[in-house]
């Protein structure tokens, strides 16, 4: 069984460093061969290509733009009345992904509008999401890119987020029925919403295109104290034949590099893989 391949999430790791180019360099020095970043849009894509190349890293995941964060937006994929803005954001994400050689884009669903009548608006939001995802699948297929849906927990992290369980995301993916749309499994969110990680990983892994990890409940390093035992979960992913990347999307509890002892010990045991597609 091949060892897992890890990706440094530079929206979260190395918070002590000011910009993405510096964080890319630090990730390369720490032994990573892949990186991901939620929103790279503050930097021109060419500058990021140069920084990634200099660091010996490839980018494996970015997100679609969040929308208007001052108005509380966190993604636009399922937000009624924001279809044009979603498509515009998608074009921007595709441009960055192509320039960066990044094969995956997380298509953010967004939040249920505040004060909205839950059931009625959720039905409308699913309709909007399905339309937007069909459009996105076509755009992404032309560029040989994969779109990802990530459920985000509504118990702790984002009470208004539209997409919050793997079951809901899988049902939407089934309705859209496009092979280049897949599931993004953030184990932190899945544990908080549903637990049953062994069963859910076994059930949903065939449609998972990217994994992310953090300890629960503190969202620290996998090696920090908490309710998840990552050696077991990593072994499970290996046993199930997972081929994608595992994104380190967590909040370092102290110095980022010191906090990577859990990953160094994994590499010591399993060997340091080379980053492929």
């Amino acid at each position: 069984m091949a060892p897992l391949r890890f990706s440094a999430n530079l929206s979260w790791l190395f918070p002590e460093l000011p910009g993405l180019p510096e964080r890319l360099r630090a990730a390369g020095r720490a032994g990573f061969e892949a990186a991901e970043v939620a929103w790279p849009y503050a930097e021109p894509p060419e500058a990021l290509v140069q920084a990634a190349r200099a660091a010996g890293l490839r980018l494996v995941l970015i997100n679609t733009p969040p929308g208007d964060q001052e108005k509380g937006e966190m993604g636009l994929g399922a937000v009624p009345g924001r279809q044009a803005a979603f498509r515009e954001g998608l074009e921007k994400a595709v441009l960055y992904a192509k320039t960066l050689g990044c094969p995956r884009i997380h298509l953010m669903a967004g939040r249920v509008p505040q004060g909205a009548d839950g059931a009625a608006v959720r039905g409308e939001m699913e309709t909007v999401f399905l339309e937007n995802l069909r459009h996105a699948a076509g755009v992404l297929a032309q560029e040989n890119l994969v779109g990802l849906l990530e459920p985000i927990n509504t118990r702790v992290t984002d009470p208004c987020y539209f997409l919050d369980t793997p079951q809901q995301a899988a049902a939407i993916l089934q309705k859209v029925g496009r092979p280049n749309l897949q599931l993004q499994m953030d184990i932190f969110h899945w544990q908080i919403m549903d637990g049953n990680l062994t069963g859910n990983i076994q059930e949903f892994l065939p449609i998972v295109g990217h994994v992310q990890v953090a300890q629960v409940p503190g969202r620290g390093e996998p090696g920090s104290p908490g309710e998840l035992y990552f050696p077991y979960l990593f072994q499970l992913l290996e046993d199930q034949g997972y081929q994608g990347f595992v994104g380190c999307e967590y909040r370092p509890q102290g110095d980022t590099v010191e906090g990577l002892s859990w990953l160094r010990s994994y590499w010591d045991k399993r060997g340091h893989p080379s980053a492929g597609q």
Side-chain angles (χ1 to χ4, degrees):
M1 282 166 299
L4 299 173
R5 299 178 300 166
F6 290 87
S7 159
N9 189 306
L10 300 181
S11 304
W12 291 74
L13 302 189
F14 305 103
E16 62 277 4
L17 298 174
L20 266 181
E22 294 88 343
R23 293 182 185 192
L24 284 162
R25 283 194 288 276
R29 283 196 301 271
F32 285 101
E33 289 159 287
E36 58 197 66
V37 58
W39 300 307
Y41 307 110
E43 314 260 358
E46 297 76 16
L48 293 177
V49 170
Q50 286 177 329
R53 202 168 283 154
L57 287 170
R58 50 190 304 264
L59 278 138
V60 297
L61 176 71
I62 60 172
N63 294 2
T64 49
D68 188 341
Q69 287 184 285
E70 283 182 15
K71 290 186 179 158
E73 289 184 326
M74 183 52 96
L76 301 172
V79 181
R82 296 288 273 146
Q83 288 93 323
F86 171 78
R87 291 180 181 204
E88 207 174 289
L90 177 68
E91 296 299 333
K92 190 178 197 178
V94 166
L95 174 75
Y96 268 74
K98 280 170 62 178
T99 309
L100 296 166
C102 174
R104 293 166 206 85
I105 299 174
H106 166 205
L107 307 170
M108 297 195 73
R111 292 173 171 151
V112 179
Q114 281 181 313
D117 168 38
V121 80
R122 291 186 82 83
E124 186 190 354
M125 289 183 79
E126 178 164 313
T127 303
V128 168
F129 204 21
L130 292 171
E131 279 171 24
N132 280 334
L133 290 173
R134 288 188 187 105
H135 168 80
V139 170
L140 294 170
Q142 288 173 345
E143 306 296 346
N144 204 22
L145 297 169
V146 168
L148 297 168
L149 270 59
E150 181 190 16
I152 293 175
N153 83 78
T154 47
R155 287 195 165 137
V156 179
T157 302
D158 195 336
C160 295
Y161 205 73
F162 171 70
L163 191 71
D164 65 353
T165 67
Q167 291 81 2
Q168 180 195 6
I172 287 170
L173 285 171
Q174 199 166 10
K175 286 177 189 171
V176 180
R178 302 291 168 88
N180 67 326
L181 298 185
Q182 298 172 350
L183 189 55
Q184 181 169 319
M185 171 171 74
D186 187 324
I187 286 175
F188 172 79
H189 296 307
W190 288 31
Q191 167 69 1
I192 288 171
M193 286 308 290
D194 199 48
N196 185 32
L197 287 178
T198 301
N200 282 337
I201 288 170
Q202 288 170 336
E203 179 179 354
F204 294 112
L205 202 62
I207 57 167
V208 166
H210 193 74
V211 171
Q212 291 173 325
V213 292
Q215 186 55 275
V216 178
R219 210 166 188 179
E221 288 91 344
S224 61
E227 60 195 60
L228 297 180
Y229 183 64
F230 277 96
Y232 168 82
L233 293 170
F234 292 154
Q235 185 67 55
L236 179 63
L237 289 171
E238 286 182 32
D239 291 346
Q240 296 289 310
Y242 177 64
Q243 300 286 310
F245 284 91
V246 177
C248 303
E249 185 178 285
Y250 59 75
R251 195 177 290 112
Q253 304 294 284
D255 177 77
T256 299
V257 175
E258 278 176 33
L260 285 167
S261 56
W262 65 274
L263 182 53
R264 288 190 291 272
S265 94
Y266 179 87
W267 282 336
D268 287 345
K269 288 192 187 80
R270 298 293 285 114
H272 196 286
S274 60
Q277 190 61 28

